[in-house]
Amino acid sequence: MSENSTAPRSAEAHDHRDRGARLFPGGPSADPAGSHHERRIRSFRPRRGRVTPGQEQALRRLWPQWGLDIDGLHRIDLGRLFGDPEMPVVLEIGFGMGEATAQMAAADPGTGILAADVHTPGQGNLLALAERNGLTNIRVANGDAIILLREMLAPSSLAGLRVYFPDPWPKKRHHKRRLLQPEFVALAATRLRPGALLHCATDWEPYAEQMLEVLSASPDFENTQPDGGYAPRPDFRPLTKFEGQGLDKGHVVHDLLFRRRTD
């Protein structure tokens, strides 16, 4: 059960991406970074999927205002992006259809959420949820989160990082594609403020073990749990319908809460 796992693309979606075209005028780009950055093993599969009329309308109307492509060509001014230079901003990598993101934004309107994903229906759905619920503290980023962190965010600019149910890449030969690797954790540390929280969650036991091992070995982070293990699900992470269905089937979800060291 991985909430952000991906499905095969249709031939039509494949054609859109291969041409580098935008699926909707003024909307998210098919491959925003293009050839500007090196090709490497990625932790995600490109995703288009079927877009509903409501999601399409949200993308057409709201993307120019609340969306951004991860092109790797400029540094983002988060204060300007959210219209408040004092607002703390949390990066969420992989938000699925956006329901949990919208709930967290509603519960904490004083925190900006920069939500990054490559799933076009989810992008449209989250924009629609933000508009419907009057959530002005959400911005949606389209593309590779590694390029976003490395090229477009300033050092110590983030108040937190959330990675909920990333693709577990269960086959051993695909483990190198998992996002939570030492290199990613080291990069994330440079963009997080001292004291900022890195919060991961997964229902895939072997991936949870890898996450715990990698984060525990990092000199930049400390486990918030005195016993050095997993954390109870914090109240600010909503229990989604998808996660609830997995729990009913006996799946075990592990949360990991690590804090950026201040020393």
Side-chain angles (χ1 to χ4, degrees), residues 87 104-112 135-137:
M87 176 177 281
M104 290 186 289
D108 186 10
T111 296
L135 306 174
T136 60
N137 57 327

Side-chain angles (χ1 to χ4, degrees), residues 4 27 67 81 87 140 143 154 161 188 201 225 239 245:
N4 294 330
L81 181 66
M87 176 177 281
V140 180
L161 175 59
Q225 303 306 298
L239 180 66
Q245 291 172 345

Side-chain angles (χ1 to χ4, degrees), residues 46-259:
R47 303 167 68 191
R48 281 298 192 188
R50 185 177 300 277
V51 177
T52 68
Q55 293 162 1
E56 178 181 347
Q57 291 177 12
L59 286 165
R60 289 181 183 274
R61 291 187 300 100
L62 301 173
W63 188 261
Q65 178 184 0
W66 288 341
L68 66 96
D69 279 322
I70 302 172
D71 57 18
L73 296 178
H74 66 284
R75 182 65 60 83
I76 298 172
D77 183 332
L78 292 177
R80 178 176 297 180
L81 181 66
F82 284 88
D84 182 355
E86 303 301 321
M87 176 177 281
V89 175
V90 171
L91 172 63
E92 181 179 1
I93 298 177
F95 54 81
M97 295 305 290
E99 292 93 346
T101 305
Q103 291 181 55
M104 290 186 289
D108 186 10
T111 296
I113 300 179
L114 178 57
D117 208 315
V118 293
H119 187 213
T120 311
Q123 293 166 350
N125 198 62
L126 179 53
L127 288 172
L129 288 170
E131 181 182 51
R132 186 181 310 141
N133 295 290
L135 306 174
T136 60
N137 57 327
I138 292 176
R139 300 294 183 270
V140 180
N142 168 55
D144 190 337
I146 299 295
I147 294 176
L148 175 64
L149 282 165
R150 190 183 64 207
E151 309 292 344
M152 301 180 70
L153 294 176
S156 302
S157 58
L158 294 174
L161 175 59
R162 298 166 180 167
V163 185
Y164 299 153
F165 304 100
D167 194 323
W169 295 100
K171 295 181 180 179
K172 187 174 182 179
R173 68 177 184 272
H174 291 156
H175 287 182
K176 60 188 176 183
R177 295 184 177 273
R178 288 175 173 174
L179 180 63
L180 266 293
Q181 308 279 359
E183 296 81 5
F184 170 79
V185 172
L187 172 61
T190 66
R191 299 306 186 250
L192 289 168
R193 300 173 185 172
L197 198 65
L198 170 55
H199 182 195
C200 304
T202 181
D203 63 324
W204 194 259
E205 183 76 27
Y207 198 7
E209 294 171 355
Q210 176 183 325
M211 289 179 177
L212 185 60
E213 179 181 354
V214 169
L215 288 168
S216 297
S218 170
D220 300 309
F221 290 94
E222 57 184 353
N223 197 333
T224 62
Q225 303 306 298
D227 64 357
Y230 303 111
R233 179 179 65 84
D235 292 338
F236 66 80
R237 184 176 74 76
L239 180 66
T240 66
K241 178 181 179 181
F242 183 86
E243 182 181 353
Q245 291 172 345
L247 293 173
D248 290 341
K249 296 175 182 177
H251 296 177
V252 177
V253 175
H254 291 294
D255 283 78
L256 299 94
L257 292 166
F258 280 71
R259 196 170 302 280

